[in-house]
């Protein structure tokens, strides 16, 4: 039975921060790819025609996709180092804050992330859009901490 006067509103998705190795790399305008999917093995038992057994096997994760206005070279340099054979995985967290921006509501931690894809901005002299870079990260593990 729910208590009267207590609300549990859904968390808002616009106030978040992404930290890589504890460093805030400017504000990201978008973060997507927080997705886990578990594969299942189907087993058809002989003589049983009403259902198929399904057993969980492995869980795979999507890549994280981060978008931000270009403010420095740090993400570019990390990807460029990987191209040159310098593999430097980073750990990170994604924190979703309350509407005031004061209190963390959700924290996801990912480990051993590597840049898999970098995309530069679409440049158009007839528009005044912000130059946005996109970085796609492959990572080892995703855990919810809060």
């Amino acid at each position: 039975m729910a208590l009267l006067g207590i609300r549990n509103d859904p968390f808002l998705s616009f106030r978040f921060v992404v930290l890589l190795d504890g460093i805030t790399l400017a504000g990201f305008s978008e973060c997507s790819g927080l997705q886990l999917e578990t594969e299942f093995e189907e087993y058809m038992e002989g003589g049983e025609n009403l259902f198929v057994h399904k057993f969980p096997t492995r869980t795979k994760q999507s890549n994280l996709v981060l978008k931000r206005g270009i403010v420095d070279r740090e993400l570019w340099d990390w990807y460029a180092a990987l191209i040159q054979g310098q593999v430097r995985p980073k750990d990170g967290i994604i924190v979703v804050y309350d509407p005031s921006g004061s209190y963390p509501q959700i924290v996801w931690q990912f480990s051993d992330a590597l840049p898999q894809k970098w995309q530069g901005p679409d440049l158009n002299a007839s528009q005044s859009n912000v130059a946005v870079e996109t970085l796609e990260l492959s990572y080892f593990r995703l855990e919810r901490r809060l």
Side-chain angles (χ1 to χ4, degrees), residues 25-26 68-81 84 88 90 115 118 133 135:
L25 299 175
R68 72 173 188 161
I70 299 176
V71 295
D72 58 29
R73 294 181 51 110
E74 199 156 357
L75 295 179
W76 169 263
D77 290 343
W78 184 32
Y79 191 66
Q84 299 300 319
R88 295 185 215 147
K90 295 182 182 285
W118 179 88
E133 68 181 331
L135 186 68

Side-chain angles (χ1 to χ4, degrees), residues 104-108 144-146:
Q105 301 293 305
I106 307 170
V107 176
W108 287 282
R144 182 159 172 189
R145 295 293 185 186
L146 182 64

Side-chain angles (χ1 to χ4, degrees), residues 3-132:
L3 298 174
L4 295 177
I6 295 179
R7 291 176 46 163
N8 286 326
D9 292 332
F11 300 128
L12 302 174
S13 65
F14 69 89
R15 191 168 306 269
F16 68 95
V17 66
V18 179
L19 301 152
L20 289 171
D21 281 345
I23 301 169
T24 305
L25 299 175
F28 288 96
S29 59
E30 290 183 41
C31 175
S32 60
L34 286 167
Q35 179 178 336
L36 300 174
E37 182 179 353
T38 302
E39 297 173 351
F40 281 77
E41 182 82 28
E42 292 187 355
Y43 177 76
M44 292 175 264
E45 183 179 354
E48 180 57 68
N49 296 322
L50 296 177
F51 61 88
V52 174
H53 296 281
K54 294 185 179 188
F55 301 102
T57 57
R58 68 178 47 107
T59 299
K60 58 184 178 179
Q61 65 272 5
S62 296
N63 288 342
L64 290 177
V65 179
L66 305 173
K67 293 184 180 186
R68 72 173 188 161
I70 299 176
V71 295
D72 58 29
R73 294 181 51 110
E74 199 156 357
L75 295 179
W76 169 263
D77 290 343
W78 184 32
Y79 191 66
L82 180 74
I83 293 170
Q84 299 300 319
Q86 300 170 21
V87 179
R88 295 185 215 147
K90 295 182 182 285
D91 296 333
I93 59 171
I94 302 164
V95 183
V96 177
Y97 287 94
D98 70 324
S100 72
S102 303
Y103 304 103
Q105 301 293 305
I106 307 170
V107 176
W108 287 282
Q109 180 177 1
F110 55 93
S111 58
D112 295 326
L114 289 170
Q116 183 171 330
K117 180 180 179 182
W118 179 88
Q119 181 178 341
D122 293 329
L123 303 173
N124 186 337
S126 67
Q127 297 179 354
S128 60
N129 297 339
V130 171
V132 174

